[in-house]
Amino acid sequence: MVKKESVCIIGSGNWGSAVGKIIGENVLKYPDVFEEEVRQWVFEENYRGEKLTDVINRERENPKYLPGIKFPPNIRAVPNLVEATKSASVLVFVLPHQFVRGVCEEMKGHIAPNARAISLIKGLEILPEKVTLFSEEISRKLGINVASLSGANIADEVAKERFCETTIGCQNKEDGELFHMLFNTDYFKVNVIRDYVGVELCGALKNVVAVGAGISDGLGYGSNTKAAIIRLGLMEMRKFGQTFFGTVEDSTFFESCGVADLITTCSGGRNRKVAEAFVRTGKPIDVLEKELLNGQKLQGTLTAQEVYEFLSPRKMTHEFPLFTTVYRIIYEGAPVESIVRDITL
């Protein structure tokens, strides 16, 4: 008898909760493949005087991060990471990237020996000396294969079952088929490609472009200007990928993880929203995060800083003028108007 796959979702914010709904429903469609129960690790918080996990398990929803969306009954919120991941053979990472290392260290030795994982983390670890994909970091820490998922996927819209697409990057064909079963629905259409590097790069770098789009919106510059920022940003994303990761394929930028996600993020994502408020209010980014994001963190500004600190010692900042201008506006006090003045070569 073939052993069924046991699924654990690691993370439970806005996106993690939306994904939990999809996965919970999909495992029930394939009872021969998956165990019925899906464990979801929830960072324990106090919610109106109760433990958040108790509220989720009783009410079948996450009222802090995704209110009004009901989970299927087979999702179980677990506050202990080791208990949640114990013997899990399919791991879905959907948590802020700054927690990846600590979480992997704690998980070591508690997952199934044949486990495989997929990263939904939108970010890169960019240090002055190197760029690391989080799928590669998880793979290195846990000794398992790790795919990646990214697309034009605003969590609230996905949770409300509004049609969209997403892209899974996976080099192993069998793993790709398994993840397709786990995520694909009538309203959340999955395309599996081999270029996991390109999928992750797009998911991280588009947030920098969205900050630029938000600055433009804050200045009231209109649709033409934002379209130019999006186009220039896409070109810099492609150039960064092909300069520092030679395997990135042009076709990946035409997937949902590429141009579609870029358009969505520059139209309605949190990076655009906070950058617009930064221009209109003059308040610091960290203050606006607290006021506007309900405990969530901004990725675009941090990625802009990391990209700049990676390019600077290589004397290549001038080759990526949009990325560099976003950094200088946010961190060096450059005039916000430079978002159009300084972004072309």
Side-chain angles (χ1 to χ4, degrees):
M1 184 176 173
V2 178
K3 187 172 171 56
K4 294 182 184 180
E5 304 284 355
S6 172
V7 181
C8 175
I9 303 166
I10 301 159
S12 59
N14 183 243
W15 185 215
S17 298
V19 163
K21 176 178 179 287
I22 289 173
I23 290 173
E25 292 170 351
N26 274 359
V27 300
L28 298 176
K29 294 177 188 174
Y30 302 100
D32 295 337
V33 179
F34 298 106
E35 297 280 358
E36 181 176 319
E37 182 181 80
V38 175
R39 286 166 284 171
Q40 182 158 28
W41 176 62
V42 175
F43 180 77
E44 192 68 280
E45 298 179 69
N46 184 289
Y47 180 78
R48 296 182 179 175
E50 288 187 83
K51 292 179 178 177
L52 183 57
T53 50
D54 290 343
V55 177
I56 292 170
N57 287 328
R58 183 182 69 242
E59 302 295 335
R60 313 303 326 155
E61 74 173 82
N62 187 329
K64 178 164 186 182
Y65 294 111
L66 200 65
I69 302 297
K70 292 296 181 183
F71 298 145
N74 57 324
I75 294 282
R76 181 165 69 91
V78 181
N80 182 285
L81 179 61
V82 171
E83 181 191 341
T85 57
K86 189 176 181 182
S87 303
S89 60
V90 179
L91 302 164
V92 179
F93 284 83
V94 54
L95 73 168
H97 71 246
Q98 56 265 41
F99 301 120
V100 169
R101 276 204 177 83
V103 162
C104 287
E105 286 295 336
E106 198 173 336
M107 288 169 57
K108 271 185 183 176
H110 300 289
I111 59 176
N114 63 330
R116 74 292 304 267
I118 186 166
S119 169
L120 279 64
I121 299 164
K122 295 267 180 102
L124 302 165
E125 182 178 70
I126 306 175
L127 301 173
E129 63 274 13
K130 64 176 180 176
V131 179
T132 303
L133 305 174
F134 282 104
S135 64
E136 293 177 344
E137 184 67 15
I138 295 165
S139 178
R140 191 159 45 243
K141 289 280 186 187
L142 298 178
I144 59 176
N145 290 336
V146 184
S148 57
L149 180 151
S150 187
N153 309 139
I154 291 176
D156 293 0
E157 295 181 19
V158 173
K160 292 171 183 170
E161 301 190 4
R162 293 176 182 165
F163 179 81
C164 67
E165 301 173 307
T166 199
T167 312
I168 289 176
C170 185
Q171 290 191 303
N172 182 288
K173 185 172 182 290
E174 290 74 24
D175 288 355
E177 290 169 354
L178 183 76
F179 291 131
H180 189 274
M181 278 191 279
L182 199 61
F183 287 97
N184 188 66
T185 72
D186 290 342
Y187 62 90
F188 191 70
K189 302 301 289 186
V190 173
N191 189 34
V192 182
I193 65 174
R194 289 179 58 83
D195 182 15
Y196 72 97
V197 175
V199 171
E200 281 185 80
L201 279 171
C202 286
L205 296 176
K206 53 97 181 182
N207 288 325
V208 181
V209 185
V211 174
I215 293 168
S216 176
D217 284 347
L219 289 162
Y221 282 169
S223 300
N224 291 348
T225 303
K226 185 147 74 171
I229 288 170
I230 290 171
R231 188 194 73 80
L232 291 164
L234 183 64
M235 296 299 288
E236 290 191 19
M237 288 165 58
R238 176 176 174 268
K239 183 175 182 177
F240 190 94
Q242 296 186 340
T243 302
F244 302 111
F245 294 88
T247 59
V248 174
E249 298 175 14
D250 265 348
S251 58
T252 301
F253 294 94
F254 294 94
E255 294 286 342
S256 181
C257 64
V259 67
D261 194 15
L262 181 61
I263 291 168
T264 297
T265 309
C266 290
S267 302
R270 74 183 77 155
N271 292 280
R272 189 219 63 81
K273 175 182 177 180
V274 174
E276 180 182 22
F278 173 78
V279 176
R280 293 192 187 278
T281 68
K283 294 179 181 179
I285 289 291
D286 58 341
V287 172
L288 292 167
E289 273 186 332
K290 292 186 178 73
E291 291 181 359
L292 300 175
L293 297 186
N294 190 31
Q296 296 180 294
K297 300 299 287 181
L298 207 62
Q299 302 291 350
T301 50
L302 175 60
T303 303
Q305 181 181 24
E306 292 174 340
V307 166
Y308 182 82
E309 290 171 354
F310 176 77
L311 294 172
S312 192
R314 290 165 178 76
K315 297 185 169 37
M316 294 179 69
T317 55
H318 65 284
E319 295 188 38
F320 296 87
L322 176 61
F323 291 170
T324 299
T325 299
V326 168
Y327 166 79
R328 288 182 171 146
I329 290 171
I330 299 298
Y331 292 101
E332 294 186 347
V336 288
E337 294 81 8
S338 58
I339 197 60
V340 294
R341 193 183 63 217
D342 297 344
I343 61 172
T344 54
L345 289 169

